């Protein structure tokens, strides 16, 4: 885990020199990123109820996600159509733009009793990669804490329907679902929704 | 010199004469330290531009001139008509802009002196500018339908500028007897929000289906096809029995008698090319053109819309004036709220660069437009645009429509439609 992070960090530093300037003739990260605001909120912090916030996520996670949409490898309603509008350079620009903005938790209701159970489930099954209670975007983990609940539900449903996931995640998910069932997953969503 | 140019020339010369006296009274007109932007119109385009100019450069002095205290979004107003949403939920004010240091003036602009760079209001005030952004939305071509005008529209609403008329139309639908006929006449192209009339029909059909199942919707359309055509047809079949004898919706295309000539408000009858149609509630959405001030300021072409340069949205008719939103000719972008919001950001970045003597940035634009056909059935169209060889162009391979019906996907699209509304309105007014 630790070594992986060090490698990732050095890669990020190496690519930083490209981050500020726009590619020759292309649009800047802010220009590109501002077009997302109508659905994902100003600067990528969504007011929900379903569209996810994309501020503060790691550059690699952003790039991987957009590339997966672009290639049609990740299921989506609209993002597979939109991601095709951007070059690899554009996507890197946007990734840098959103990685530089602080993620804000969505103001949503949560079942606190379920959230309490969900906290334990998170610790046991998810914390190792989604660190600090799911607030971390390090190691290319998606930010879970404070993310909009319907989005978390949709994403989980897609994973269960066969969307590709990291090997470790697949193993953990299987174990979680076997032991705690759908209720356990719901407790987990409530935990993330309750995080401010 | 064509008609419009001659008129605007006369306007301009008289305005110049007037400003030479006005200038001495304006404390802001002296010196060049603070750059001034005056924005005409407090709708989607104008408010977004004001906010993003302030976000990019808080030192720019920004004034928005708008007669109304509140703005009602046209998008989601169809959900007010169906009773799924309150009118208050689509009402927005200007406190967000005030907090950002934008001056809000509630007055009507009645002249723009392009040479003297001054905006003048009905209230007798003058506002000097370095750059002016005009975002007046649409106006109606009242003379295209006999018997229909702004007064008649109070009782036979267009409800295509959301607000009081949205409430009027909702009340009329609520008080209509079960078994009544709602008649809608959409406009010819081009017009604001191309899927709007058809989402409206869908929303009202969902209301009838739930509350007044014997009622019918008749659409008399001058066109033979419309936006998201296949998706609407498919949705109407699924939810409203379209194509059967029991269909809630009947759509008559232009080639088959959908064009209308006149309306008689007393008998609630619309005269088609061949037949008269009587209805209980009538909604006429007339043909459209750029907002009035665009004509007054000489910003329009012979088709009644404002030609612009796609990188900056600067008018092709007058320097230092930019036109964004429904009034602008920004094709291939549609006349939509998302397009206006996106154009405003490109324009804001260009204006800030020009004010500071910098190079205008390479633009990027998006349109994303949702329609809700029935509860749990949302659809969308999207497109990414780039700027190439002096033109706004679609990015090849991007965008397009929602795919074939899938219950799970459509339910998500409805949730994303409502998220879209929350986020875009906050991106504008927040």
């Amino acid at each position: 885990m630790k070594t992986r992070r060090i490698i990732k960090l050095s890669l990020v530093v190496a690519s930083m020199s490209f981050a500020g300037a726009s590619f020759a003739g292309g649009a800047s990260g802010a220009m590109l990123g501002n077009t997302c605001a109508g659905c994902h909120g100003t600067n990528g912090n969504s007011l929900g109820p379903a569209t996810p916030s994309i501020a503060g996520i790691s550059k690699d996670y952003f790039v991987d996600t957009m590339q997966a949409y672009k290639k049609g490898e990740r299921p989506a309603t609209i993002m597979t159509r939109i991601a095709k509008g951007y070059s690899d350079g554009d996507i890197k620009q946007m990734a840098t733009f959103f990685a530089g903005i602080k993620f804000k938790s969505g103001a949503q209701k949560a079942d606190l009793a379920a959230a309490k159970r969900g906290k334990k489930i998170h610790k046991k099954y998810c914390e190792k990669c989604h660190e600090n209670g799911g607030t971390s975007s390090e190691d290319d983990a998606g930010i879970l804490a404070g993310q909009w609940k319907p989005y978390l539900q949709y994403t989980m449903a897609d994973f269960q329907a066969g969307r590709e996931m990291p090997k470790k995640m697949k193993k953990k998910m299987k174990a979680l679902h076997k032991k705690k069932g759908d209720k356990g997953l719901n407790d987990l969503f409530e935990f993330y929704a309750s995080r401010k | 010199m064509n008609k419009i140019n001659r008129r605007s020339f006369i306007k301009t010369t008289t305005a110049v004469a007037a400003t030479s006296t006005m200038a001495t009274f304006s404390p802001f007109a002296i010196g060049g330290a603070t750059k001034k932007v005056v924005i005409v119109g407090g709708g989607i385009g104008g408010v977004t531009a004001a906010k993003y100019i302030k976000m990019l450069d808080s030192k720019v002095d920004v004034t928005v001139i708008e007669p109304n205290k509140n703005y009602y979004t046209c998008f989601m107003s169809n959900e007010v008509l169906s009773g799924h949403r309150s009118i208050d939920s689509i009402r927005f004010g200007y406190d967000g802009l005030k907090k950002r240091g934008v001056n809000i003036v509630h007055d009507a602009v009645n002249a723009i002196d392009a040479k003297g760079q001054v905006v003048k209001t009905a209230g007798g005030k003058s506002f000097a500018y370095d750059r002016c952004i005009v975002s007046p939305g649409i106006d109606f071509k009242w003379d295209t339908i006999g018997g229909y005008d702004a007064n008649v529209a109070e009782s036979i609403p267009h409800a295509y500028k959301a607000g009081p008329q949205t409430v009027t139309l909702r009340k009329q639908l609520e008080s209509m007897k079960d078994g009544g006929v709602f008649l809608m006449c959409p406009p010819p192209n081009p017009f604001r929000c191309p899927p709007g009339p058809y989402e409206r029909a869908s929303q009202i059909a969902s209301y009838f289906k739930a509350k007044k199942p014997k009622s019918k919707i008749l659409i008399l359309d001058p066109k033979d096809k419309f936006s998201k055509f296949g998706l609407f047809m498919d949705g109407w079949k699924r939810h409203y029995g379209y194509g059967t004898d029991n269909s809630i919706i009947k759509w008559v295309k232009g080639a088959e008698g959908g064009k209308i000539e006149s309306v008689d408000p007393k008998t609630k009858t619309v005269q088609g090319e061949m037949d008269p149609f009587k209805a209980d509630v009538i909604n006429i959405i007339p043909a459209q053109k750029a907002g009035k001030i665009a004509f007054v300021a000489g910003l329009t072409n012979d088709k009644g819309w404002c030609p612009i340069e796609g990188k900056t949205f600067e008018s092709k008719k007058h320097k230092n004036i930019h036109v964004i939103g429904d009034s602008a000719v920004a094709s291939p972008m549609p006349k939509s709220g998302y397009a206006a919001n996106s154009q405003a950001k490109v324009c804001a970045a260009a204006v800030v660069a020009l004010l500071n003597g910098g190079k205008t940035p390479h633009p990027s634009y998006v349109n994303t437009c949702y329609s809700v056909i029935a509860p749990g059935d949302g659809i969308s169209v999207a497109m990414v645009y780039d700027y190439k060889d002096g033109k706004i162009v679609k990015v090849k391979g991007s965008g397009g429509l929602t795919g074939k019906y899938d219950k799970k996907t459509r339910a998500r699209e409805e949730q994303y439609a409502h998220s879209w509304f929350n986020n875009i309105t906050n991106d504008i007014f927040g």
Side-chain angles (χ1 to χ4, degrees):
Chain A
M1 212 63 205
K2 284 261 165 65
T3 42
R4 194 179 139 215
R5 187 178 308 155
I6 288 161
I7 294 163
K8 276 273 152 68
L9 271 173
S10 57
L11 281 175
V12 168
V13 171
S15 62
M16 282 294 250
S17 49
F18 297 100
S22 63
F23 281 70
S28 71
M31 175 67 80
L32 292 160
N34 286 343
T35 67
C36 312
C39 296
H40 290 280
T42 307
N43 290 330
N45 275 305
S46 170
L47 296 183
T51 310
S53 289
I54 52 175
I57 62 181
S58 77
K59 277 174 65 175
D60 286 349
Y61 180 82
F62 188 98
V63 170
D64 288 351
T65 305
M66 284 292 277
Q67 290 293 353
Y69 283 140
K70 199 173 163 180
K71 290 171 193 149
E73 291 165 4
R74 178 172 165 172
T77 53
I78 200 166
M79 279 312 298
T80 40
R81 289 175 265 157
I82 290 175
K84 289 186 184 82
Y86 301 101
S87 70
D88 294 351
D90 289 338
I91 290 171
K92 278 184 194 156
Q93 289 286 324
M94 291 161 124
T96 307
F97 174 72
F98 286 113
I101 301 166
K102 201 173 181 308
F103 176 93
K104 283 187 201 157
S105 292
Q108 57 192 323
K109 281 183 193 153
D111 175 343
L112 293 181
K116 215 174 160 184
R117 294 192 297 270
K119 190 178 180 179
K120 284 183 191 157
I121 295 170
H122 170 83
K123 263 193 175 160
K124 188 164 180 196
Y125 297 96
C126 318
E127 173 69 22
K128 207 169 175 189
C129 294
H130 296 279
E131 291 170 317
N132 299 325
T135 58
S136 174
S137 63
E138 283 186 43
D139 278 338
D140 317 325
I143 297 173
L144 303 176
Q147 190 53 279
W148 291 97
K149 197 161 59 183
Y151 170 72
L152 294 172
Q153 290 165 335
Y154 299 161
T155 308
M156 190 56 76
D158 289 344
F159 278 132
Q160 288 178 318
R163 183 186 144 190
E164 210 183 321
M165 53 183 139
K167 251 186 192 165
K168 275 183 197 164
M169 182 174 166
K170 199 172 182 180
K171 215 172 128 190
K172 292 275 183 188
M173 282 287 311
K174 209 175 166 187
L176 188 167
H177 199 249
K178 199 175 170 190
K179 192 130 193 224
K180 303 281 181 183
D182 287 345
K183 188 170 164 286
L185 287 177
N186 188 59
D187 290 347
L188 203 51
F189 301 145
E190 295 295 337
F191 169 62
Y192 298 134
S194 74
R195 301 276 288 166
K196 298 283 174 263
Chain B
M1 189 177 275
N2 65 29
K3 231 183 196 172
I4 291 161
N5 276 344
R6 192 188 308 132
R7 198 172 51 194
S8 68
F9 177 70
I10 295 162
K11 274 266 154 83
T12 306
T13 44
T14 45
V16 167
T19 31
S20 54
T21 49
M22 291 302 298
T24 48
F25 294 104
S26 168
F28 298 108
I30 311 152
T34 312
K35 302 290 183 190
K36 286 201 292 288
V37 174
V38 175
I39 299 176
V40 180
I44 306 308
V47 178
T48 306
K51 175 175 170 174
Y52 273 77
I53 287 172
K54 277 291 185 186
M55 280 168 66
L56 287 163
D57 184 352
S58 60
K59 291 193 289 295
V60 178
D61 184 82
V62 183
T63 300
V64 172
I65 308 175
E66 160 61 43
N68 298 310
K69 294 273 162 82
N70 290 301
Y71 182 83
Y72 293 87
T73 62
C74 248
F75 42 85
M76 290 295 167
S77 68
N78 289 329
E79 289 197 348
V80 176
L81 296 177
S82 63
H84 287 128
R85 171 184 288 276
S86 74
I87 187 76
D88 292 343
S89 75
I90 62 165
R91 187 185 61 217
F92 297 88
Y94 299 99
D95 288 348
L97 281 191
K98 281 180 197 160
K99 277 182 200 152
R100 290 177 186 275
V102 174
N103 314 305
I104 309 291
V105 176
H106 292 297
D107 202 344
V109 172
N110 61 7
I112 302 172
D113 167 10
K115 286 216 175 77
Q117 293 179 224
V118 176
V119 169
K120 311 182 109 204
T121 69
K125 291 201 179 95
S126 295
F127 299 86
Y129 63 80
D130 294 292
R131 293 269 159 188
C132 177
I133 300 173
V134 180
S135 186
I138 52 149
D139 206 348
F140 298 108
K141 293 181 176 172
W142 295 109
D143 54 354
T144 54
I145 297 161
Y148 198 56
D149 59 27
N151 285 328
V152 175
E154 296 298 315
S155 60
I156 296 181
H158 52 74
Y160 224 62
K161 291 184 181 181
Q165 287 202 10
T166 311
V167 176
T168 302
L169 186 54
R170 173 62 190 162
K171 279 184 185 155
Q172 289 176 351
L173 291 165
E174 275 182 303
S175 56
M176 190 187 90
K177 65 178 191 290
D178 187 12
V181 173
F182 167 62
L183 170 57
M184 181 174 64
C185 308
N189 292 325
F191 63 100
R192 153 183 289 181
C193 187
Y198 312 97
E199 186 200 45
R200 176 171 291 184
S202 309
Q203 282 291 320
I204 292 170
S206 86
Y207 167 63
F208 285 172
K209 189 179 174 181
K211 301 281 165 80
K212 292 175 183 179
K214 283 180 268 177
S215 306
K216 300 287 179 201
I217 298 171
L218 175 62
I219 307 169
L220 296 177
D221 204 328
K223 306 180 291 299
D224 292 337
K225 227 184 161 185
F226 51 80
S227 171
K228 301 176 183 169
F229 186 82
L231 288 168
F232 276 115
M233 287 290 159
D234 177 63
W236 290 352
K237 279 177 198 158
R238 180 172 309 106
H239 301 290
Y240 310 122
Y242 189 75
T244 69
D245 291 344
N246 284 323
S247 178
I248 296 175
I249 301 171
K250 189 182 177 195
W251 176 68
V252 182
K253 62 177 157 186
E256 289 169 5
K259 293 190 181 101
I260 66 162
E261 286 171 352
S262 63
V263 60
D264 182 352
K266 283 200 187 98
T267 59
K268 285 190 181 166
T269 306
V270 166
Q271 182 60 47
E273 269 182 334
M274 291 166 266
D275 305 305
F277 298 90
K278 208 170 148 40
D280 298 278
V281 177
I282 303 173
N283 171 214
I284 295 176
I285 309 165
Q288 296 164 22
K289 58 184 177 182
K292 193 180 168 192
I293 187 63
F295 286 86
V296 173
L299 297 167
T300 49
N301 63 15
D302 56 355
K303 292 192 175 99
W305 303 99
C306 305
I308 48 94
E309 203 291 312
K311 195 180 183 190
T312 60
F313 288 87
E314 187 163 12
S315 165
K316 285 184 175 172
K317 299 276 179 182
H318 287 300
K319 279 197 169 131
N320 303 314
I321 300 179
H322 303 248
V323 185
I324 53 174
D326 293 343
S327 275
V329 183
S331 49
M333 294 185 83
K335 298 187 185 303
S336 76
Y338 204 107
N341 173 259
S342 185
Q343 291 164 12
K345 293 171 192 177
V346 170
C347 178
V351 162
V352 167
L354 289 164
L355 290 176
N356 292 315
K359 204 174 154 237
T360 53
H362 188 96
S364 176
Y365 336 67
V366 165
N367 178 56
T368 297
C369 163
Y370 284 96
S371 305
V372 181
I373 305 177
D377 192 350
I379 55 170
S380 60
V381 64
M383 186 58 66
V384 181
Y385 303 89
D386 194 9
Y387 182 79
K388 257 186 198 149
D389 305 324
K391 280 187 185 132
I392 300 172
V393 293
K394 292 178 180 179
V395 176
K396 231 181 164 181
S398 79
L401 295 157
T402 294
K404 264 190 192 158
Y405 183 77
D406 168 72
K407 198 177 174 185
K408 188 184 79 182
T409 307
R410 296 298 181 89
R412 288 182 187 185
E413 289 229 75
E414 187 196 30
Q415 289 302 305
Y416 288 140
H418 293 147
S419 303
W420 174 98
F421 178 75
N422 289 342
N423 281 313
I424 197 168
T425 54
N426 187 62
D427 190 46
I428 301 158
F429 296 99

